[in-house]
Amino acid sequence: MKRTTRARAWRWGLNAAVVAVIALIALAANWENIHENFWNSGGVALDGGNWGDLITIGAVNTVQYTAIAFAGGLAFALVLALMRLSPIATMRWLATGYVEFFRGLPALIVIIFMGLGVPIAFNWQPPGGLVGAGLIALIMVGSAYMAETLRAGIQAVPKGQMEAARSLGMKPTATMFKVILPQAFRIVIPPLTNEFVLLIKDTALLSVIGASFDERELTTVARDFLASGPSAGTATALVQAALIYLVITIPLTQLVAWQERRQRKATR
Amino acid sequence: MTAMPARQAPEAGSVPAIDVRGLHKSFGENEVLTGIDFHVDPGQVVCVIGPSGSGKSTLLRCVNRLEEPTSGEILIEGIDICDPEVDLDEVRSRIGMVFQQFNLFPHLSVMKNLTLAQRSVHGRGKAEAVEIARRNLAKVGLDHKEDAFPAHLSGGQQQRVAIARALSMEPDMMLFDEPTSALDPELVGDVLGVMKDLASEGMTMMVVTHEMGFAREVGDKLVFMDGGVVVEEGVPEEVLSDPQHERTQAFLSKVL
């Protein structure tokens, strides 16, 4: 067989195998059970039941919380990254200690401590109630990850860029903010997108510390529908929430990838 | 290329533009410069040649303290730039520097490359900065490229933009660190042409280069370095055609 013929045969074989596996799974599934337990509107049309609260409360809050946690986390991460690159040893140690500490803890534990532990330990309630405390926890954890990403991005900008700016007489701060960081951010867009998506999903952890009816994020709303509403007793609301998460995350990553391709075409 | 007007001899007693005294530079155990005395007078074009590893780029990078000297003095227009009291950024803004790898800012258009430092360092308004930038782009023959991004320019064009960027700070002197070494051979001429024009306007220049033709034609002084010291210096024509030192002879026999 010629090499191209063989390659084509391989490709067709692979495609056929994939179709076969999907067909097998579809045949093995108990569709009746699935329909009853995972996609059961309880006699009410689905759009009249869960979708309303899932979208207008859950999805809206999830997007808002993610935006707040990401913006706050990124701003704090920038401070940490600059500290890690500081010529002052104390700054570097502080930042390294912070990053190692919060990167090594499960976000869930930090959320519980911020929401329930800190008010007891310090007689102080973080602003924004339990949700506010949870968001601060997400910012603290997220910034530890993003600081490392930013530091890598800053270090990936060629040394000559700093030298060129300094040789023109630009001050270190101006060099950092006008020459180095704009290039560093471009380098870290893919890993930052990744961290944004992780953060969207991490907002689901806020469901452990409780929130008022209108403050609930997507997973909390879905969980509440497990016990109440037309689909109570089935996992339908979780499946609906899962679909909403995908509707948020997939277009987002595609948008960033498209933007990145466009950017690359312009500047390199 | 315009004919070069006779260069004015530096006035007796005038302060050198660059005056390096007893300069030592080590990278850890590795001693790269071992006692350099070197000067460039105002309006002079000094070319520095030598084998790779001879320390010539390090010397040039010490002149605006991109490399920190280990010991010795570096005086720019009479001011010791190693003095901690000196405003290094102000001194640097008077010394234009051109790199082997161009080092244009890839995220900015050509125009922004030329106006960024003008505005940030000299505090010039946008209109003034743009006007100065346009004048310098025209000087290097790239006034039609102000909206382009560096990635869309050839190496030779990028290097000419880099020269225009340095000139837009209106420096008193220019340092060139092997400005044509990263260029395809057919692009070298354009860059050397711009440098030649600059020399004929009386710009003070220190040029680390492998272009012997440029050194011979444009240079007022040629400095040969090897092993971290200045081995020989003099009028380019004489050094190139009648080198006195054995090491100079050996080097030139390889490159000429």
Side-chain angles (χ1 to χ4, degrees), chain A residues 159-172 174 178-180 182-183 186 264-268, chain B residues 61 64 66 87 89 92-93 95 97 99 103-108 116-117 120-121 149 151-152 165-166 169:
Chain A
K159 198 163 148 255
Q161 291 292 309
M162 191 268 289
E163 291 181 348
R166 297 307 306 277
S167 77
L168 288 162
M170 288 175 68
K171 303 230 178 301
K178 291 181 175 152
V179 174
I180 307 298
Q183 297 183 56
R186 231 152 273 186
R264 186 152 298 169
K265 235 178 258 169
T267 58
R268 55 188 70 164
Chain B
R61 289 162 58 84
N64 67 356
L66 280 185
D87 180 355
D89 293 322
R92 280 174 171 160
S93 74
I95 309 173
M97 176 140 180
F99 299 84
N103 293 350
L104 291 179
F105 305 135
H107 61 299
L108 299 177
L116 177 64
S120 161
V121 178
F149 279 85
H152 295 163
R165 177 174 70 178
M169 300 303 286

Side-chain angles (χ1 to χ4, degrees), chain A residues 143-188:
Chain A
S143 64
Y145 283 94
M146 289 192 269
E148 283 301 276
T149 305
L150 284 181
R151 180 180 63 89
I154 291 169
Q155 287 177 324
V157 176
K159 198 163 148 255
Q161 291 292 309
M162 191 268 289
E163 291 181 348
R166 297 307 306 277
S167 77
L168 288 162
M170 288 175 68
K171 303 230 178 301
T173 325
T175 301
M176 182 53 82
F177 281 91
K178 291 181 175 152
V179 174
I180 307 298
L181 282 179
Q183 297 183 56
F185 269 108
R186 231 152 273 186
I187 294 170
V188 299

